[in-house]
Amino acid sequence: MSYNWHAILGGLLGGVLAALVAGYATSQMLPATTEVAISDMVWAGVAAAVGGVLGVVAGWLVNRRRGNGLGGIAAIVSLLAALNGTFSWFREFGGLYDVLPLLTRTILLLGGGLILMTLVCGLTAALLRVQSVPQEQAQL
C-alpha cells in the first residue's frame, strides 16, 4: 500500500485555507446576538462554501492536477472547515447561551457545516476530475 503524499499535503493545505474562511464566516459574519436572521446564516454559509471550493482547488493544484486523491482532498477539506467553523463560532459566541441551547446549536452547526462542506467539496472534486491530467501523463 502506498500513500499519495501529494494528495494528503494538498488536502491539508486546502483544508487550512477552507478552515480559515469558515472560521471567519462563522465568527465575524454572524451577529453577536441570540437571535440570528436567516439571511445572515445564508451569507455565512455561502462564504464558507466558497472557502471549501477554494480549498479543494488549492489541494488539487498541490496534487499536480491529478484525479487520484481528489475524494480524499475533498474529505480532508470538508472536515477541517466544518470543525474550525464550529470551533470559531463556539469560541466567539459560547458565552451568550446557557448549556443546553449552546450544546444544541453547536451540534446543529457542526452537522449543517459538515453537510454543506461535503456537498460543495464533493461537487468541486467531481468537476475537477474531468479537468485532471490523464493517468498516463500523470505517471511521467
Side-chain angles (χ1 to χ4, degrees):
M1 179 175 168
S2 63
Y3 295 105
N4 187 349
W5 293 108
H6 286 283
I8 293 170
L9 179 64
L12 289 174
L13 289 176
V16 168
L17 173 66
L20 290 173
V21 173
Y24 175 81
T26 57
S27 65
Q28 301 299 317
M29 294 180 73
L30 294 175
T33 63
T34 56
E35 296 297 323
V36 180
I38 291 178
S39 63
D40 293 333
M41 289 186 272
V42 168
W43 282 115
V46 167
V50 169
V53 169
L54 292 175
V56 172
V57 170
W60 178 64
L61 291 173
V62 170
N63 194 28
R64 296 181 286 183
R65 295 181 37 222
R66 292 183 297 176
N68 289 347
L70 263 173
I73 291 170
I76 293 170
V77 169
S78 299
L79 181 65
L80 290 178
L83 287 175
N84 191 52
T86 304
F87 176 73
S88 296
W89 176 84
F90 181 82
R91 188 184 64 222
E92 190 77 21
F93 303 118
L96 295 176
Y97 304 103
D98 292 331
V99 174
L100 189 57
L102 175 65
L103 182 63
T104 304
R105 290 171 191 232
T106 302
I107 291 171
L108 287 173
L109 181 63
L110 180 61
L114 277 172
I115 290 170
L116 173 71
M117 297 309 288
T118 303
L119 288 172
V120 168
C121 294
L123 179 62
T124 303
L127 293 173
L128 287 176
R129 188 171 304 277
V130 178
Q131 300 298 320
S132 296
V133 175
Q135 190 67 21
E136 303 82 35
Q137 292 178 0
Q139 298 294 332
L140 300 177

